[in-house]
């Protein structure tokens, strides 16, 4: 199938409601098509698959598609095509391996990324149909042109945000606290709910400023907050439960409306806490867990063998994302999690050395591509 035709097929699949129940047969058929395309057009991935004994002739179900360790995005160009044709390039922050070893994700057709993120954000942050004013504690995209998060927030604000949406952070100087406080004060006086968007790290610093200055705001009922990443501040760890309490104390946002997003530079789709969607549906009291759109699946694997684990067991998360048509659809993370009823619980990064299964997979990829050259 020509690349343009496959892109059109994926875009059509992404028109399904983002909170719809997944259809196994449809997901499987398209995943296998994408795998064949990536095997043919992504040489480093093809070498890796062949080393693992998995080719389109051998793989008959999406669960058998070999996931690439996320660290591989720092080592080889994992693009299904020519990297020079990429219209958008995302790079990881480089905080763990140095700026020279940043993971790189090439998007030949960024409209697919947008087609995935907009309905999913809407389903889990705006399930009540709200179009709130948004305050972003993430630098504007021009200041961080290769950040997938900055790209995402730029799209969200332009497409879904109200007229008073703005940014209150600068990549060089950090949070503009006077601007943020003025926005929060004005928002508190209106009767429309608002949305705050930022990393957990940025919210920790905003809360520190609020506490230090003795400022408290009571945002309108129905206001919501999206944080992303872990709950670590510069000098201390802040557990999620404590952070939610502080969101309520200083911003007036109830816990069910505080949504943690889980995404990666290497993925075109995202997971979100389902608590706001639950609240709108009247399903209060359900446990906090993450859900994604029907074109995104998570598997929990044994850290040593990469074999699937039963629901409830803690293992390494692997993600299968049909929107990743331009790179590799199967990603093996170093994040721990467990499967629960209709979702997953993400427990954070595995501590210490890279899990054995991930390390072996990365060695296979590097060995296969050294041999190729």
């Amino acid at each position: 199938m020509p690349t343009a035709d496959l892109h059109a097929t994926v875009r059509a699949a992404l028109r399904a409601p983002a909170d719809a129940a997944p259809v196994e047969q449809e997901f499987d058929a398209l995943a296998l098509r994408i795998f064949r395309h990536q095997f043919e057009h992504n040489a480093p991935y093809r070498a890796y698959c062949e080393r693992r004994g998995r080719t389109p002739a051998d793989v008959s179900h999406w669960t058998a598609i070999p996931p690439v360790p996320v660290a591989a995005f720092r080592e080889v160009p994992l693009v299904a095509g020519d990297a020079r044709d990429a219209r958008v390039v995302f790079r990881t922050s480089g905080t763990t391996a140095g700026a020279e070893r940043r993971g790189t994700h090439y998007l030949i057709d960024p409209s697919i990324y947008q087609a995935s993120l907009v309905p999913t954000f809407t389903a889990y942050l705006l399930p009540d149909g709200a179009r709130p004013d948004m305050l972003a504690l993430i630098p504007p995209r021009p200041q961080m042109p290769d950040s997938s998060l900055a790209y995402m927030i730029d799209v969200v604000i332009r497409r879904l945000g109200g007229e008073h949406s703005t940014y209150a952070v600068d990549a060089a100087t950090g949070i503009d606290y006077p601007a943020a406080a003025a926005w929060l004060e004005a928002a508190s006086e209106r009767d429309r709910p608002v949305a705050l968007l930022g990393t957990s790290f940025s919210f920790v610093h905003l809360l520190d400023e609020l506490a230090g200055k003795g400022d408290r705001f009571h945002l309108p009922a129905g206001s919501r907050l999206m944080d992303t990443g872990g709950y670590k501040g510069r000098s201390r760890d802040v557990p999620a439960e404590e952070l939610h309490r502080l969101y309520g104390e200083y911003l007036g946002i109830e816990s069910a409306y505080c949504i943690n997003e889980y995404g990666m530079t290497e993925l075109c789709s995202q997971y979100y806490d389902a608590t706001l969607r639950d609240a709108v549906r009247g399903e209060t009291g359900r446990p906090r867990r993450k859900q994604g759109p029907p074109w995104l699946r998570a598997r929990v694997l044994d850290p040593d063998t990469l074999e699937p684990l039963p629901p409830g067991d803690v293992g390494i998360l692997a993600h299968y994302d049909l929107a990743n048509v331009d790179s590799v659809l199967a990603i093996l993370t170093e994040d721990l999690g467990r499967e629960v009823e209709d979702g997953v619980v993400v427990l954070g990064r595995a501590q210490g050395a890279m899990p054995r299964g991930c390390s072996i997979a990365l060695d296979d990829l590097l060995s296969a591509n050294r041999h190729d050259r």
Side-chain angles (χ1 to χ4, degrees):
M1 174 183 286
T3 299
D5 291 346
L6 183 58
H7 283 165
T9 299
V10 171
R11 277 194 298 271
L14 269 54
R15 295 191 189 107
D19 56 353
V23 179
E24 174 65 20
Q25 186 175 2
E26 294 177 3
F27 184 94
D28 185 45
L30 186 50
L32 293 176
R33 261 166 126 181
I34 293 172
F35 175 55
R36 287 193 295 271
H37 170 79
Q38 294 175 344
F39 185 88
E40 180 179 351
H41 295 284
N42 187 334
Y45 183 54
R46 179 172 63 249
Y48 169 70
C49 291
E50 289 173 338
R51 187 174 182 88
R52 300 222 121 194
R54 300 287 180 87
T55 73
D58 308 307
V59 171
S60 59
H61 192 265
W62 68 269
T63 55
I65 296 172
V68 164
V70 71
F73 282 82
R74 298 197 301 263
E75 305 292 343
V76 293
L78 289 167
V79 54
D82 191 330
R84 292 171 296 184
D85 293 332
R87 292 167 55 196
V88 171
V89 179
F90 294 142
R91 292 183 174 87
T92 58
S93 64
T95 54
T96 57
E100 74 285 359
R101 296 287 299 281
R102 298 171 68 190
T104 304
H105 192 189
Y106 299 93
L107 301 187
I108 295 172
D109 185 354
S111 72
I112 292 175
Y113 181 81
Q114 297 182 28
S116 177
L117 78 88
V118 171
T120 311
F121 183 94
T122 302
Y124 291 98
L125 265 295
L126 310 172
D128 51 356
R131 289 297 180 269
D133 295 330
M134 298 180 180
L135 178 67
L137 298 182
I138 293 163
R141 189 185 172 209
Q143 297 182 13
M144 301 178 67
D146 56 4
S147 164
S148 60
L149 181 58
Y151 186 103
M152 171 187 167
I153 297 305
D154 175 74
V155 171
V156 164
I157 286 180
R158 285 189 293 105
R159 294 200 183 184
L160 304 172
E163 63 177 324
H164 298 292
S165 299
T166 191
Y167 293 81
V169 66
D170 183 273
T173 59
I175 294 175
D176 183 343
Y177 180 77
W183 191 94
L184 292 168
E185 180 66 34
S188 300
E189 295 173 357
R190 294 191 286 266
D191 60 0
R192 293 181 63 241
V194 298
L196 309 184
L197 313 172
T199 63
S200 301
F201 180 86
S202 66
F203 279 113
V204 167
H205 283 277
L206 176 66
L207 291 166
D208 283 348
E209 288 283 351
L210 292 173
K213 297 184 184 317
D215 290 339
R216 282 177 170 79
F217 300 96
H218 191 79
L219 295 172
S223 292
R224 70 277 327 256
L225 178 152
M226 185 203 83
D227 58 18
T228 183
Y231 296 97
K232 292 188 176 182
R234 187 177 300 277
S235 59
R236 69 193 191 286
D237 293 354
V238 184
E241 296 79 7
E242 173 65 7
L243 198 51
H244 291 175
R245 185 189 68 77
L246 294 171
Y247 290 152
E249 179 179 346
Y250 287 96
L251 299 169
I253 301 177
E254 59 181 290
S255 180
Y257 282 63
C258 298
I259 305 302
N260 182 247
E261 181 261 1
Y262 172 70
M264 304 171 63
T265 299
E266 301 84 1
L267 283 179
C268 287
S269 302
Q270 300 83 34
Y271 299 87
Y272 293 90
D273 287 343
T275 52
L276 175 50
R277 193 199 63 150
D278 290 344
V280 169
R281 293 182 173 185
E283 300 174 2
T284 56
R286 298 198 65 188
R288 190 174 287 266
R289 76 277 181 212
K290 286 183 167 58
Q291 295 181 334
W295 52 85
L296 175 64
R297 305 285 178 88
R299 302 183 76 209
V300 181
L301 308 179
D302 183 283
D304 291 330
T305 66
L306 301 186
E307 291 298 315
L309 292 172
D313 284 10
V314 174
I316 294 294
L317 292 173
H319 305 298
Y320 295 73
D321 184 4
L322 301 184
N324 264 34
V325 63
D326 288 332
S327 54
V328 288
L329 73 86
I331 306 293
L332 179 64
T333 76
E334 296 172 30
D335 296 326
L336 296 175
R338 65 174 183 270
E339 181 185 349
V340 296
E341 184 181 1
D342 75 352
V344 293
V345 174
V346 179
L347 301 173
R349 186 66 55 88
Q351 299 299 309
M354 181 185 296
R356 181 171 178 270
C358 301
S359 179
I360 292 172
L362 182 60
D363 285 346
D364 280 350
L365 182 137
L366 295 176
S367 297
N369 284 280
R370 279 196 296 268
H371 177 72
D372 242 20
R373 292 194 290 269

